[in-house]
Amino acid sequence: MQAAAKSPRLSIRRFTTALVLTALLPTASAWAAELKLAYSSSATSMDPHFHNASQNIAVARNMFETLTQMDPDSRIVPDLAESWKKINDTTWEFKLRKAKFQDGSDFTAEDVAFSLARPGTIENSPSSFKIYTGSITKTEIIDPQTIRITTSTPYPLLPADLTSIFMVSKKASQGVTSDKFATPEHMIGTGPYQFVSYTPDDRVVMKRFDGFWGGKPAWDSVTIRFMPNDGARMTALLSGDVNAIENVPTPDIEKVKANPDLVYAAKKSHRLIFLFLDSGRESSPGVKADNGKNPLQDVRVRRAINMAIDRKAISERLMMGLAYPTNNLATDQMMGFDPTLETVPYNPEGAKKLLAEAGYPNGFALTLGTPNNRLLNDARVAQAIAQMLTRVNIKTDVDAVPFSAINTKGNKGEFSAVMMGWGVQTAEASSGIRMMVACPDKARGWGVVNWSNYCNPKLTEQLIALTSEMDDAKRNDMLKAAVHTVVDDMAIVPLYFQGMTWAAKKGIKIIPRMDERTSAFTFEPAP
Amino acid sequence: MIAYLIRRLGQSVLVLFTMAVLVFFAVFALGSPVDMLASPDADQAERAALAVRFGLDKSLPVQFATFIGNALHGDLGASFVYGKSALAVIGERLPATIELAVLALVFSVLIGVPLGVIAGLRPNSIAGRAIMSTSIFGFSLPNFWIGLMLILFFAVYLGWLPAGGRGPTTNVLGMELSIFSVEGWRHLILPALTLALYKASLVVRLCEAGTREIITQEYIRFARAKGLSRFRIIRLHLLKNMMIPVVTILGMEFGAMIAFTVVIETVFAYPGMGKLLIESINRLDRPVVVAYLMVTTVIFVVINLIVDFLYVALDPRVRLSGPNE
């Protein structure tokens, strides 16, 4: 009797277990192909031509493609353009890939011409993509798979600029304003994932696009969550709300590495961290020397500062290896990298000697500006640098301000020395030199953020020559020479390239990249 | 009554105007949105064009006059970052925040009132003492820290609830609400609880004090002498009299709650107006910051008005009138 009473209960339990298991099974397999990814900053628009900001580009990258693209090591490689060649100094011909849009229509030269013209038509853009299409004066459709692009002047950076201009479907987006863009009807690209929904400041949901030219995408669905708060992003990963994140908070890196349920990856990014030293003004607001002059105008003083900074210690003790010391302006594979510019060894004695030679045996007082919420450990690194400089008698205070304020202060010339970062977006050294070191020149658009107030006619000549040099090998040599001018003269003091980090649940493979643009392709289900 | 309303509205307009002046100039002092928003690669011409687009090429007084002029027409300007009306940007996120704050308010009443009454009825019992001393923690522990601890325990350690975000929403009368799904509740419960804890402690204290005072009153003794059931006394005579200060305080605190969602939404990655405010400050999106503060001020003012009316409903002795009437 007892046994008989027990057995149906058992079978019920077995049945329940079976039910639970069958309910769990599809979830488990769905998990394997569902990427839930947390970004550390919020996209502001779905329209890929509206707001030129890195997080918007990173989101768009999943759904839209560009003619050329950066590979994980920031080399320019084909994307929707299979190949390209120069017809003459101002005309380029791009051969297009046979690709389908997510609504089933063909991707053609017509769409390319439309997409290249569209950024210029968006009136209320907070930061326009026009800066990448401004050089283009004419597009000419040769046939559906071929397009010619003409620039006003010889412009070697066109393929680099085109990595930022997404190809949209003319049919789906003609006449659509940016605020109406975020619907499945208008969000039509050629990328591996297709738009499903967007909740501002919260998430973007995408599904696999089976007609993708590059084969079956790795994930069935991709959800991008926006989690700027470090703690929220980290706990979301730990609790399984998301299964991958970018920008692991630095205090958590050791814990993440030690956690058997997580995988971690770091890579040198293209973001150069450097010091602006005001060498242009006779009197500068943040320096005080006994003789009343601005010591930073003496190149020996700038070199002394360079020698007084222990980059190795910063990298190892403050940055957990996420700082890659350099004396260059671009990373090793990029154009303009000069291997002969070796990182200056830490040499406080040498620095003191140079300072004495320059007439400052007792040093001087300096205020070092830094953002406190932008670069990895920015304020702490600036503190460390201040201590190192103080050790060679340059008594340094740190002025740490939020990123939103530092740009205004910097552009107003309120700093004598300030630590900043520059993302080498063009994958070559010239963009940084043009914007930050070249003499301010409105007609050319140079020296826009030249906070060093540095101006060297020799460098201007070098830049004029190299920016229109269409031969890559020649341009590389000219660029190296320009980088040499900048570094020899310490127009800015290169410190290190910052590292970028990712973490994911076990079972996911991370493919780290240099351009800080995390996307669904940064992660793959591990085999 | 009408005189009262007019005076009240006049005060509100003054408050709104003062807020507008303060915020407008404070955000201006922070930094230039052009420097912040322009791509690092943008040249001088593009930056100048951006300043014109935002109207920042004009002098500060002119900008302020334009702003006030437009505000009088109900236009608080277009967000620099989103390129559409700042009010619309906030409106998209308002339901999420209101949902969170209302739920937190409900939680604080559901938790606070019964505990407060128990503590008031039995001030010397173990339960009473425990409730009162625990409520001190609710006051003194920082909200965001409680939030983090709840996340660590319920989301990371136990894995029962999500660590943050908002659940799927349903469109109800044009508002996207998430309280109609289980998943929505699972997302709401931790942030709402965190937000409610401080208020719940406040309610506990108010109710305990109220109960202890009321329970000694003649009418309670009389009711008891009449042989009314204990439950009926609590429900009719105690609760009703005790709720007057509670409603006043909660009404006033509801505005504070909405303001406090700024912290909670950040910790829980909850897509409401608070998260928007923080991000807009970081991006120097002045129209959104100004509009946010305008909207919250309006909410404050409206709530205070409602509280005044509720007060009348709860206590017939109170009349809404000016000193001359």
Side-chain angles (χ1 to χ4, degrees):
Chain A
M1 196 57 209
Q2 238 178 347
K6 220 176 186 177
S7 70
R9 206 188 299 156
L10 254 185
S11 71
I12 284 171
R13 194 177 296 165
R14 215 171 289 153
F15 176 72
T16 330
T17 321
L19 206 70
V20 167
L21 277 180
T22 41
L24 276 177
L25 272 176
T27 343
S29 63
W31 182 82
E34 185 186 3
L35 179 68
K36 291 178 285 182
L37 165 62
Y39 278 12
S40 57
S41 50
S42 303
T44 53
S45 174
M46 286 295 101
D47 181 344
H49 296 147
F50 177 67
H51 182 185
N52 177 13
S54 53
Q55 68 275 22
N56 288 17
I57 296 174
V59 170
R61 188 81 240 168
N62 298 287
M63 298 169 275
F64 298 92
E65 294 179 290
T66 45
L67 290 181
T68 56
Q69 67 171 327
M70 299 278 177
D71 76 353
D73 289 312
S74 282
R75 283 172 298 218
I76 296 167
V77 294
D79 194 8
L80 279 171
E82 248 169 5
S83 66
W84 55 92
K85 61 172 190 239
K86 293 162 216 159
I87 304 285
N88 56 48
D89 269 3
T90 54
T91 310
W92 301 68
E93 183 173 285
F94 290 82
K95 283 278 173 203
L96 306 180
R97 199 179 290 282
K98 282 209 179 303
K100 288 260 181 226
F101 276 112
Q102 288 147 359
D103 63 358
S105 60
D106 286 323
F107 162 71
T108 66
E110 192 81 30
D111 300 300
V112 177
F114 175 76
S115 303
L116 292 176
R118 192 167 175 269
T121 66
I122 295 179
E123 296 285 318
N124 57 346
S125 164
S127 170
S128 179
F129 280 98
K130 215 161 52 189
I131 56 172
Y132 304 119
T133 57
S135 62
I136 300 173
T137 49
K138 197 172 77 176
T139 50
E140 191 184 347
I141 298 164
I142 305 295
D143 64 55
Q145 302 308 124
T146 314
I147 190 162
R148 280 192 188 168
I149 298 176
T150 308
T151 56
S152 51
T153 51
Y155 187 62
L157 292 181
L158 185 69
D161 280 0
L162 290 179
T163 61
S164 299
I165 300 296
F166 289 101
M167 295 296 125
V168 298
S169 154
K170 182 179 179 183
K171 199 178 81 185
S173 50
Q174 198 163 27
V176 182
T177 54
S178 298
D179 55 327
K180 305 266 182 336
F181 212 84
T183 68
E185 295 88 75
H186 303 316
M187 293 283 294
I188 301 293
T190 55
Y193 300 99
Q194 194 170 346
F195 178 81
V196 175
S197 71
Y198 164 56
T199 317
D201 275 344
D202 183 31
R203 68 185 70 200
V204 181
V205 181
M206 292 165 278
K207 64 180 185 202
R208 197 177 75 202
F209 169 44
D210 286 319
F212 178 54
W213 60 266
K216 190 184 161 198
W219 305 97
D220 292 329
S221 72
V222 175
T223 302
I224 292 171
R225 300 271 302 270
F226 302 120
M227 301 188 163
N229 183 275
D230 280 349
R233 200 163 64 250
M234 197 62 225
T235 48
L237 177 67
L238 289 173
S239 69
D241 277 16
V242 299
N243 48 22
I245 63 169
E246 64 171 4
N247 283 327
V248 182
T250 28
D252 294 319
I253 288 178
E254 290 308 315
K255 270 181 278 170
V256 169
K257 279 186 186 167
N259 189 325
D261 292 328
L262 300 178
V263 288
Y264 166 85
K267 190 179 171 79
K268 182 203 280 192
S269 85
H270 66 193
R271 192 163 299 275
L272 173 72
I273 311 300
F274 61 91
L275 301 180
F276 278 119
L277 297 177
D278 182 3
S279 55
R281 290 182 288 180
E282 305 243 316
S283 83
S284 190
V287 276
K288 218 182 276 159
D290 294 337
N291 61 9
K293 284 190 200 156
N294 172 7
L296 298 174
Q297 288 198 300
D298 191 320
V299 67
R300 286 169 296 189
V301 172
R302 304 199 291 272
R303 285 194 189 131
I305 289 177
N306 195 17
M307 286 159 88
I309 297 170
D310 188 351
R311 292 169 176 76
K312 201 164 156 244
I314 292 175
S315 173
E316 284 170 7
R317 281 180 231 152
L318 272 177
M319 298 286 284
M320 276 156 302
L322 293 175
Y324 305 82
T326 187
N327 201 24
N328 252 289
L329 304 180
T331 61
D332 351 356
Q333 304 92 341
M334 290 181 179
M335 204 178 268
F337 173 79
D338 187 344
T340 62
L341 285 172
E342 284 170 31
T343 310
V344 181
Y346 175 54
N347 182 358
E349 290 315 309
K352 275 185 197 161
K353 211 182 283 169
L354 265 180
L355 281 175
E357 253 177 57
Y360 300 96
N362 300 319
F364 55 92
L366 180 69
T367 304
L368 175 64
T370 176
N372 60 12
N373 57 356
R374 177 69 170 189
L375 312 168
L376 230 46
N377 290 340
D378 36 22
R380 288 175 62 201
V381 171
Q383 284 290 356
I385 290 175
Q387 281 170 25
M388 290 165 186
L389 294 183
T390 305
R391 234 172 275 161
V392 297
N393 287 333
I394 303 173
K395 292 161 236 30
T396 310
D397 288 324
V398 172
D399 178 17
V401 287
F403 187 66
S404 53
I406 202 161
N407 283 304
T408 303
K409 285 184 83 155
N411 288 342
K412 277 192 199 154
E414 288 180 17
F415 293 115
S416 297
V418 55
M419 186 174 89
M420 286 297 277
W422 178 265
V424 191
Q425 217 72 255
T426 46
E428 48 89 64
S430 82
S431 63
I433 301 180
R434 270 182 292 133
M435 298 306 277
M436 308 185 298
V437 192
C439 309
D441 179 341
K442 274 193 187 161
R444 290 200 177 87
W446 288 358
V448 180
V449 283
N450 184 343
W451 294 359
S452 293
N453 302 302
Y454 176 82
C455 186
N456 181 347
K458 181 186 160 201
L459 182 68
T460 310
E461 267 168 44
Q462 285 176 313
L463 282 175
I464 291 173
L466 75 89
T467 43
S468 57
E469 176 55 59
M470 297 300 285
D471 183 281
D472 282 352
K474 273 193 206 156
R475 197 168 86 255
N476 191 12
D477 287 337
M478 294 161 95
L479 199 47
K480 276 189 196 170
V483 170
H484 246 291
T485 310
V486 173
V487 175
D488 289 346
D489 222 4
M490 287 275 105
I492 56 172
V493 181
L495 297 174
Y496 54 84
F497 285 96
Q498 182 170 292
M500 170 92 177
T501 54
W502 296 266
K505 288 282 187 191
K506 209 172 79 182
I508 291 176
K509 192 178 137 207
I510 303 173
I511 303 132
R513 49 187 304 126
M514 193 174 255
D515 63 5
E516 301 182 333
R517 285 175 187 169
T518 308
S519 70
F521 335 120
T522 313
F523 306 93
E524 272 175 15
Chain B
M1 179 76 178
I2 289 172
Y4 171 82
L5 259 182
I6 291 172
R7 198 168 52 243
R8 222 26 221 273
L9 281 174
Q11 285 169 352
S12 312
V13 169
L14 200 69
V15 168
L16 273 174
F17 182 77
T18 320
M19 279 301 287
V21 176
L22 282 178
V23 173
F24 191 90
F25 289 98
V27 182
F28 195 91
L30 213 54
S32 161
V34 174
D35 300 327
M36 183 68 199
L37 288 169
S39 158
D41 292 315
D43 59 16
Q44 289 96 333
E46 164 64 13
R47 284 168 200 245
L50 202 58
V52 173
R53 221 172 297 162
F54 293 159
L56 299 172
D57 52 331
K58 303 192 181 69
S59 73
L60 191 52
V62 173
Q63 285 184 49
F64 185 67
T66 322
F67 164 73
I68 291 291
N70 290 337
L72 288 176
H73 293 93
D75 172 14
L76 292 181
S79 155
F80 296 155
V81 174
Y82 296 94
K84 54 179 170 182
S85 147
L87 275 177
V89 172
I90 291 171
E92 276 174 1
R93 294 150 179 87
L94 186 69
T97 298
I98 297 287
E99 192 173 59
L100 179 62
V102 168
L103 196 66
L105 190 74
V106 171
F107 277 1
S108 57
V109 172
L110 288 185
I111 298 170
V113 173
L115 291 181
V117 170
I118 291 171
L121 290 176
R122 300 267 166 84
N124 294 319
S125 68
I126 294 178
R129 281 160 195 251
I131 289 168
M132 290 321 285
S133 41
T134 316
S135 76
I136 294 174
F137 287 106
F139 271 117
S140 41
L141 291 179
N143 241 330
F144 71 90
W145 185 83
I146 295 180
L148 284 174
M149 288 303 114
L150 287 176
I151 293 174
L152 273 184
F153 190 68
F154 287 103
V156 177
Y157 181 68
L158 292 174
W160 291 353
L161 294 168
R166 192 176 185 218
T169 55
T170 351
N171 194 307
V172 183
L173 303 173
M175 291 217 296
E176 295 289 335
L177 295 179
S178 70
I179 46 167
F180 299 101
S181 67
V182 177
E183 205 43 39
W185 274 94
R186 277 168 38 86
H187 281 87
L188 268 173
I189 214 154
L190 285 188
L193 201 64
T194 312
L195 193 55
L197 277 181
Y198 176 82
K199 299 291 170 290
S201 315
L202 192 69
V203 173
V204 165
R205 305 231 129 211
L206 279 173
C207 288
E208 190 250 4
T211 306
R212 289 183 75 166
E213 191 195 314
I214 292 166
I215 212 78
T216 59
Q217 300 285 320
E218 291 292 335
Y219 59 86
I220 297 282
R221 280 195 209 156
F222 182 68
R224 225 181 248 171
K226 250 172 42 176
L228 288 185
S229 77
R230 194 179 170 77
F231 180 69
R232 201 178 153 80
I233 296 174
I234 291 178
R235 195 167 56 94
L236 265 184
H237 300 286
L238 177 71
L239 277 186
K240 219 173 168 184
N241 285 300
M242 191 195 68
M243 284 315 273
I244 294 172
V246 174
V247 167
T248 320
I249 296 288
L250 278 183
M252 277 157 47
E253 293 280 323
F254 184 69
M257 220 138 163
I258 289 179
F260 231 96
T261 55
V262 174
V263 178
I264 302 298
E265 284 176 8
T266 305
V267 172
F268 284 92
Y270 188 86
M273 335 189 269
K275 197 180 171 210
L276 174 73
L277 175 70
I278 295 289
E279 296 203 11
S280 297
I281 292 174
N282 283 333
R283 293 179 197 130
L284 296 183
D285 195 348
R286 191 197 304 154
V288 174
V289 177
V290 174
Y292 170 90
L293 288 153
M294 294 288 105
V295 169
T296 6
T297 314
V298 169
I299 293 177
F300 257 87
V301 169
V302 170
I303 289 170
N304 280 335
L305 260 179
I306 294 176
V307 168
D308 281 346
F309 289 115
L310 267 184
Y311 208 73
V312 180
L314 277 173
D315 188 344
R317 284 170 302 179
V318 178
R319 292 278 171 270
L320 294 183
S321 57
N324 309 331
E325 286 178 42

